[in-house]
Amino acid sequence: MVPAFEVPSRERSIAAARHTLDEVDGAAPDGPVTDADLSHVTSAVAIVASSRGGSSLLHQILSDQPDVLSIAGEHTALYKLNRLDRGRDGSDVLEPDVAFDWTAFSRDFMSLLGSGPARPPVSAADRQLYAAAATRRLALQWPLEEIAYASVREAVDHAAGTCPRPDEPDTLFTAVLHHLRVTHPRIDPSFYDVPPAFRGKASADGLRTPHDGYCIEEPPFVVPRARTPADRGALRRHPVVIKSSVDAYRLPVLRRLMPNARIRVIHLTRNPAASVNGLYDGWRDRGFFSYDVSDRHTLSIDGYSQLGAAARRWWNFDIPPGWEKLVDQPLEWVCANQWAGAHRSALDTLGPDTADDILRVPFEQILDPATREQTLRSVFTFAGIPQPPRPVSLPVVMATARPRPARWRERAHLVLPAVDQPGILDVADELGYRKGEEDRWV
């Protein structure tokens, strides 16, 4: 169910995105992947966590391995593109038997699925492959712009010949964006997950959405990379690693998406104080807009709704059950309920019907250099991924501030009272984060 106010915006944006995707499938040299679909996936590894719980970092670590298939960032945009958005209560919970076009979803997923490192646009063929990948992403990020594949091809050729580091994805794509802005001035680099130096100057007029349409892909937007497409052989040999912040509410749907896959779920936990602090930052940052809820409520969330007109309309991150009781609560309370809602759902629905194997991993053990290598070794073994030959470094992905241990303590006066609620504490205790042990939380 999508709110009545948002339906025209959604349908207009989806139709525009589909037009672009159909065009690139017909014109790009790789074309649509025709010999493989999601029924050929034999092994899927789903990272399930709350938003701001470390799943982007773990997904990137696994995706960087050579024997892994993945799409860049979350597949949440593909849910939205295929109208698998909000459930009957307006939350992210979907009924297990929700209707959708499996063939269309599979085609969309396969068009973004790849493996190996990003292929720099050295040859003409590589530039064409990169232009196709970039056009598909732009269709999800700026659907109403209807940016043509031919225009992206021209921008890629220009950027590859003029930017100082065409082999560096952020540098190359920023150059592509600046070339496209000549004919599409509404494209705004400040909405991308790139270092601040690449973003340009953001608006000083309070929080704002990237465009006036439906956010198919939620900002901060992913930088596209051209990678080796997946075929049937790759799907037989390699695991598909996925992550979406809403999958905690949709575990039964994963079985329907990949009906023949052995599904392994990594339940990634993080102490509530750190996650709530990260959510608090994200709500007040330039992105993470998920849905315009103004048809049902004007948001009056203290700590957020004072930041501009968009902050009275747009919900950020996932929408937990019972969200309508939070629309006039302080931001830290909203964030605490988002953390608890995702993990409550995972705890209640993870089992033989939704997963063949389950591994619970505290994110703190990945952050801590003393436990990182052993923890990641167990993750690789569980996922069926060969162990990397050297220690893994931690990438910075979707960060709103420079990562550092126990950053939440600077906001402890807000965060700890929000966590100290019966429903929140119950979930925290089940996950091993117990009241009275907050001095151990990092």
Side-chain angles (χ1 to χ4, degrees):
M1 183 209 75
V2 172
F5 177 89
E6 202 168 5
V7 167
S9 173
R10 178 183 77 165
E11 294 307 310
R12 191 166 58 249
S13 296
I14 290 175
R18 284 279 175 222
H19 179 268
T20 301
L21 293 170
D22 289 345
E23 184 227 3
V24 72
D25 282 347
D30 59 337
V33 178
T34 56
D35 75 331
D37 59 40
L38 289 178
S39 70
H40 299 122
V41 177
T42 59
S43 175
V45 179
I47 303 169
V48 172
S50 69
S51 294
R52 314 315 287 167
S55 59
S56 292
L57 186 147
L58 181 57
H59 181 261
Q60 190 64 55
I61 289 172
L62 299 184
S63 297
D64 285 342
Q65 306 310 309
D67 298 302
V68 167
L69 298 169
S70 65
I71 63 174
E74 298 196 351
H75 56 275
T76 309
L78 301 185
Y79 283 137
K80 289 187 167 186
L81 181 64
N82 288 276
R83 300 179 178 84
L84 286 167
D85 28 43
R86 297 166 68 186
R88 295 173 184 172
D89 62 354
S91 78
D92 277 313
V93 178
L94 294 182
E95 294 297 317
D97 61 350
V98 62
F100 67 99
D101 186 335
W102 181 90
T103 300
F105 189 100
S106 175
R107 183 176 61 248
D108 296 332
F109 196 98
M110 294 302 301
S111 73
L112 298 180
L113 190 66
S115 63
R119 294 167 57 168
V122 176
S123 67
D126 288 335
R127 289 196 294 275
Q128 290 177 340
L129 184 66
Y130 177 79
T135 306
R136 291 186 178 106
R137 270 294 174 180
L138 289 164
L140 304 178
Q141 296 164 348
W142 309 96
L144 299 180
E145 292 294 312
E146 295 193 62
I147 304 168
Y149 170 63
S151 298
V152 180
R153 278 286 316 276
E154 178 186 341
V156 169
D157 288 340
H158 180 270
T162 58
C163 78
R165 288 291 307 276
D167 59 325
E168 204 288 314
D170 291 343
T171 304
L172 175 64
F173 189 63
T174 302
V176 170
L177 289 180
H178 283 295
H179 189 82
L180 289 171
R181 292 186 75 193
V182 174
T183 51
H184 297 276
R186 286 184 290 272
I187 294 176
D188 188 343
S190 72
F191 283 102
Y192 281 86
D193 183 32
V194 293
F198 291 101
R199 293 181 203 153
K201 188 175 181 181
S203 169
D205 299 328
L207 292 182
R208 61 186 178 89
T209 53
H211 48 70
D212 296 329
Y214 178 74
C215 285
I216 299 177
E217 181 176 328
E218 301 165 12
F221 294 145
V222 170
V223 172
R225 288 163 170 77
R227 300 162 72 211
T228 302
D231 57 18
R232 287 194 188 190
L235 293 177
R236 284 194 299 267
R237 295 189 305 271
H238 305 312
V240 174
V241 176
I242 60 173
K243 87 100 176 176
S244 169
S245 58
V246 300
D247 274 344
Y249 301 110
R250 302 179 178 190
L251 289 167
V253 178
L254 293 182
R255 287 281 195 203
R256 298 175 60 195
L257 293 177
M258 302 178 188
N260 299 314
R262 175 184 178 183
I263 295 180
R264 300 175 174 97
V265 171
I266 299 172
H267 182 192
L268 186 67
T269 69
R270 190 180 191 185
N271 76 74
S275 292
V276 168
N277 187 64
L279 284 161
Y280 193 100
D281 281 340
W283 275 79
R284 297 170 58 85
D285 193 60
R286 68 195 189 285
F288 306 104
F289 300 106
S290 56
Y291 291 101
D292 183 347
V293 298
S294 60
D295 69 308
R296 294 169 70 163
H297 296 283
T298 297
L299 297 179
S300 181
I301 298 174
D302 187 33
Y304 171 67
S305 296
Q306 303 91 336
L307 301 179
R312 294 186 288 275
R313 300 172 62 98
W314 282 84
W315 190 272
N316 282 220
F317 299 103
D318 55 290
I319 305 186
W323 68 278
E324 291 182 295
K325 297 178 182 178
L326 302 171
V327 298
D328 58 357
Q329 296 299 305
L331 179 56
E332 60 272 19
W333 287 64
V334 176
C335 298
N337 280 275
Q338 285 181 305
W339 176 86
H343 287 296
R344 177 78 276 155
S345 181
L347 288 166
D348 289 348
T349 57
L350 274 174
D353 292 339
T354 55
D356 296 296
D357 303 284
I358 303 166
L359 176 68
R360 186 168 295 155
V361 178
F363 184 56
E364 291 85 356
Q365 292 183 5
I366 296 176
L367 292 178
D368 187 348
T371 56
R372 180 181 306 154
E373 185 173 353
Q374 180 179 351
T375 301
L376 290 177
R377 186 174 296 277
S378 69
V379 168
F380 286 122
T381 299
F382 173 81
I385 299 171
Q387 298 290 335
R390 57 186 61 87
V392 172
S393 59
L394 301 188
V396 177
V397 185
M398 293 290 174
T400 58
R402 182 180 296 277
R404 61 185 184 279
R407 188 167 57 86
W408 66 268
R409 296 189 192 280
E410 298 172 7
R411 204 177 273 141
H413 63 290
L414 290 178
V415 169
L416 290 180
V419 170
D420 193 15
Q421 306 173 58
I424 314 300
L425 289 175
D426 290 344
V427 175
D429 188 67
E430 285 188 58
L431 297 178
Y433 302 105
R434 295 179 176 84
K435 183 176 175 63
E437 298 179 355
E438 294 86 353
D439 58 330
R440 303 181 187 177
W441 297 355
V442 296

mmCIF file of all heavy atoms in Angstrom, residues 38 47 76 85 240 385 407 413:
data_model
loop_
_atom_site.group_PDB
_atom_site.id
_atom_site.type_symbol
_atom_site.label_atom_id
_atom_site.label_comp_id
_atom_site.label_asym_id
_atom_site.label_seq_id
_atom_site.Cartn_x
_atom_site.Cartn_y
_atom_site.Cartn_z
ATOM 1 N N LEU A 38 16.712 -15.049 -11.405
ATOM 2 C CA LEU A 38 16.896 -15.334 -9.984
ATOM 3 C C LEU A 38 16.569 -16.783 -9.612
ATOM 4 O O LEU A 38 16.957 -17.242 -8.540
ATOM 5 C CB LEU A 38 16.061 -14.371 -9.138
ATOM 6 C CG LEU A 38 16.553 -12.916 -9.119
ATOM 7 C CD1 LEU A 38 15.623 -12.042 -8.284
ATOM 8 C CD2 LEU A 38 17.973 -12.816 -8.599
ATOM 9 N N ILE A 47 22.367 -10.067 4.462
ATOM 10 C CA ILE A 47 22.770 -9.374 5.686
ATOM 11 C C ILE A 47 21.548 -8.650 6.216
ATOM 12 O O ILE A 47 20.991 -7.768 5.558
ATOM 13 C CB ILE A 47 23.911 -8.386 5.421
ATOM 14 C CG1 ILE A 47 25.123 -9.099 4.806
ATOM 15 C CG2 ILE A 47 24.305 -7.670 6.709
ATOM 16 C CD1 ILE A 47 26.188 -8.150 4.284
ATOM 17 N N THR A 76 16.901 -2.098 -2.114
ATOM 18 C CA THR A 76 15.645 -1.443 -1.755
ATOM 19 C C THR A 76 15.031 -0.734 -2.945
ATOM 20 O O THR A 76 13.805 -0.735 -3.120
ATOM 21 C CB THR A 76 15.880 -0.442 -0.612
ATOM 22 O OG1 THR A 76 16.592 -1.080 0.453
ATOM 23 C CG2 THR A 76 14.569 0.108 -0.085
ATOM 24 N N ASP A 85 6.568 -1.618 -1.938
ATOM 25 C CA ASP A 85 6.996 -0.582 -1.009
ATOM 26 C C ASP A 85 6.337 -0.781 0.346
ATOM 27 O O ASP A 85 6.718 -1.691 1.073
ATOM 28 C CB ASP A 85 6.778 0.825 -1.583
ATOM 29 C CG ASP A 85 5.643 0.888 -2.581
ATOM 30 O OD1 ASP A 85 4.600 0.279 -2.324
ATOM 31 O OD2 ASP A 85 5.808 1.548 -3.619
ATOM 32 N N VAL A 240 25.366 -15.047 -4.025
ATOM 33 C CA VAL A 240 24.841 -13.702 -4.235
ATOM 34 C C VAL A 240 24.674 -13.061 -2.861
ATOM 35 O O VAL A 240 23.911 -13.566 -2.022
ATOM 36 C CB VAL A 240 23.500 -13.731 -4.985
ATOM 37 C CG1 VAL A 240 22.900 -12.332 -5.065
ATOM 38 C CG2 VAL A 240 23.683 -14.314 -6.383
ATOM 39 N N ILE A 385 32.485 -18.259 1.167
ATOM 40 C CA ILE A 385 33.375 -17.399 0.382
ATOM 41 C C ILE A 385 34.814 -17.728 0.752
ATOM 42 O O ILE A 385 35.148 -17.803 1.942
ATOM 43 C CB ILE A 385 33.081 -15.908 0.665
ATOM 44 C CG1 ILE A 385 31.638 -15.567 0.277
ATOM 45 C CG2 ILE A 385 34.066 -15.003 -0.056
ATOM 46 C CD1 ILE A 385 31.211 -14.180 0.724
ATOM 47 N N ARG A 407 31.271 6.877 19.463
ATOM 48 C CA ARG A 407 30.912 8.261 19.122
ATOM 49 C C ARG A 407 29.586 8.666 19.762
ATOM 50 O O ARG A 407 29.322 9.858 19.997
ATOM 51 C CB ARG A 407 30.857 8.400 17.595
ATOM 52 C CG ARG A 407 30.677 9.821 17.091
ATOM 53 C CD ARG A 407 30.951 9.915 15.590
ATOM 54 N NE ARG A 407 30.104 9.026 14.815
ATOM 55 C CZ ARG A 407 28.872 9.332 14.378
ATOM 56 N NH1 ARG A 407 28.352 10.507 14.694
ATOM 57 N NH2 ARG A 407 28.175 8.481 13.666
ATOM 58 N N HIS A 413 23.217 11.924 26.613
ATOM 59 C CA HIS A 413 22.084 12.500 27.337
ATOM 60 C C HIS A 413 20.772 12.358 26.569
ATOM 61 O O HIS A 413 19.685 12.377 27.176
ATOM 62 C CB HIS A 413 22.354 13.979 27.635
ATOM 63 C CG HIS A 413 22.494 14.830 26.404
ATOM 64 N ND1 HIS A 413 23.580 14.732 25.553
ATOM 65 C CD2 HIS A 413 21.668 15.776 25.870
ATOM 66 C CE1 HIS A 413 23.434 15.593 24.553
ATOM 67 N NE2 HIS A 413 22.285 16.220 24.727
#
